[in-house]
Amino acid sequence: MGSGGEHPASERPQQADVAARAGVSLATVDRVLNRRKGVKERTRQRVLEAARELGFLSETEEARLGNARPLNIVVLLPAGSNPYLRLLGERLRARLERTGADGPVLRCFFIESFSAQALAGALRRNAGWADGIAFFAIEHPVVREAAAEVAATGTRLVSIVSDLGSVPGIPHVGLDNRAVGRTAGLLIGRLSGGRAGAVALVAGSRHYRAHSEREAGFLSIQEELFPQMRVHGMREGHDDAAENYRHTLALLEQVPDLVGIYNVGGSSGGITRALREQGRQDVIFIGHGLTQDTRKAVLEGTMDAIFDQDPDTLLDRAVACLNEPATTARPLKLDIYFSENLP
């Protein structure tokens, strides 16, 4: 940094000179010059002024560094084969490539799926660098404790897709999942044409509040409007296509009057594979996430509808919540796609 035009090479000011002039440590100068968190505004301005006076920075460089520092934002997503979460990661990587100098500095990490300990550790580990963390929450005491600790240090948090429940100060960006479950139950009930029989649910895990709320919504509307249909219980496939495939084969064998399946989680490809192999296009199937595999399944008729939350809108809202903590997080719009209205 700095042109150094006024000084011979041997006399050019160094960061140590800036630290001495500003009366701060070398580490503080490094944080200011690299726009990292942890420096009071008054101290930051003193360092920049000293750097300009010494010729370490030009006036243009001082002005640029003097602007409000862009936020450091970390996004934590579950690892695994869930196509929607992979799509979310791809959209994040695309943002990394086009983010300007004044935009937020984004990092994305995939952590062990369905592990509360892994998520709690990732929250604590990233709090030192991040001004804000967006995370796919697991409803578990160790996660709530870690989130409370991190929030108490001043790091902003927002849950995405699945939330922590009623934790003060941590907004959520996602769907109204109980309403989503009721919508799925209504759609399967209507599409069944009054048939009596069984409906099965497949989830990633009930530790994801989004999944348990969708289940609760589905059960409530089935009892209310479609008493002729019984729910065969919830099977957890951990958002894994192979597990979902095995669960579906077992359902088709054990439940002869199976009318429909609602996958409240991801990796619907395993379910459509089993339906396709067994020639059971008569089974109504609704799942989540508009991805290449679900698009193909709807077009070929093994899947009736896709429930989707736009990944770019999800990321935009999450970043907005971290940029402006006073922002009210409203539920995202649920997009429902059939073969006739695929984008």
Side-chain angles (χ1 to χ4, degrees):
M1 287 188 175
S3 64
E6 300 176 3
H7 304 271
S10 61
E11 298 178 8
R12 286 176 184 168
Q14 305 297 314
Q15 287 191 25
D17 301 314
V18 177
R21 178 76 168 245
V24 299
S25 68
L26 190 59
T28 297
V29 172
D30 181 72
R31 284 197 292 272
V32 171
L33 296 178
N34 288 286
R35 308 185 84 178
R36 289 197 286 269
K37 64 184 287 190
V39 182
K40 294 180 179 179
E41 180 60 24
R42 184 172 56 186
T43 303
R44 190 169 69 90
Q45 293 299 334
R46 192 165 75 243
V47 169
L48 293 174
E49 184 178 341
R52 178 183 54 77
E53 290 173 349
L54 288 171
F56 185 84
L57 292 178
S58 68
E59 289 187 4
T60 301
E61 289 170 328
E62 182 196 14
R64 180 178 63 81
L65 292 173
N67 293 333
R69 179 179 64 81
L71 292 183
N72 295 333
I73 294 177
V74 167
V75 181
L76 301 176
L77 297 174
S81 59
N82 185 327
Y84 179 80
L85 294 180
R86 291 205 305 268
L87 175 63
L88 203 56
E90 290 170 6
R91 297 295 174 85
L92 272 167
R93 282 191 289 272
R95 285 171 180 247
L96 290 175
E97 294 173 0
R98 66 174 185 264
T99 299
D102 294 323
V105 182
L106 294 169
R107 292 180 179 176
C108 179
F109 298 102
F110 286 86
I111 60 175
E112 183 182 350
S113 300
F114 310 104
S115 171
Q117 288 74 20
L119 177 55
L123 287 169
R124 293 187 174 104
R125 189 165 54 251
N126 286 283
W129 178 83
D131 297 294
I133 301 175
F135 65 106
F136 194 116
I138 296 174
E139 191 177 21
H140 192 281
V142 301
V143 177
R144 287 196 292 269
E145 181 71 14
E149 287 178 16
V150 169
T153 68
T155 299
R156 303 168 189 173
L157 298 177
V158 60
S159 60
I160 56 175
V161 182
S162 191
D163 71 333
L164 279 176
S166 56
V167 178
I170 302 179
H172 175 65
V173 175
L175 301 170
D176 178 344
N177 285 298
R178 185 177 177 85
V180 168
R182 285 183 63 86
T183 303
L186 177 65
L187 191 53
I188 286 181
R190 294 294 189 188
L191 290 175
S192 71
R195 279 185 290 164
V199 181
L201 282 78
V202 178
S205 170
R206 286 189 177 92
H207 287 304
Y208 286 149
R209 189 179 179 89
H211 293 189
S212 61
E213 287 182 343
R214 291 170 190 171
E215 176 190 18
F218 189 93
L219 294 176
S220 69
I221 203 166
Q222 286 293 311
E223 290 180 4
E224 179 184 334
L225 297 181
F226 306 105
Q228 78 279 9
M229 302 177 74
R230 72 183 190 283
V231 177
H232 188 69
M234 173 83 84
R235 298 187 179 218
E236 295 189 356
H238 302 101
D239 286 348
D240 179 78
E243 281 194 60
N244 286 348
Y245 172 73
R246 291 191 293 272
H247 282 315
T248 307
L249 288 179
L251 284 167
L252 295 174
E253 179 180 351
Q254 297 167 10
V255 188
D257 62 344
L258 185 66
V259 172
I261 299 174
Y262 172 39
N263 181 16
V264 308
S267 296
S268 290
I271 298 173
T272 58
R273 175 189 166 198
L275 293 174
R276 188 185 311 113
E277 289 179 357
Q278 299 300 311
R280 291 299 304 274
Q281 277 84 354
D282 61 300
V283 174
I284 303 161
F285 176 42
I286 295 173
H288 281 262
L290 178 61
T291 56
Q292 289 300 318
D293 61 330
T294 55
R295 183 186 186 91
K296 176 183 177 182
V298 165
L299 289 172
E300 71 182 12
T302 52
M303 190 171 189
D304 293 276
I306 304 166
F307 285 9
D308 190 56
Q309 50 188 324
D310 180 69
D312 290 313
T313 302
L314 177 72
L315 294 173
D316 287 342
R317 293 274 190 90
V319 171
C321 280
L322 295 173
N323 267 317
E324 300 290 339
T327 301
T328 300
R330 302 184 308 277
L332 296 182
K333 177 173 66 73
L334 172 65
D335 294 317
I336 303 178
Y337 295 110
F338 303 92
S339 59
E340 302 303 320
N341 71 332
L342 286 170

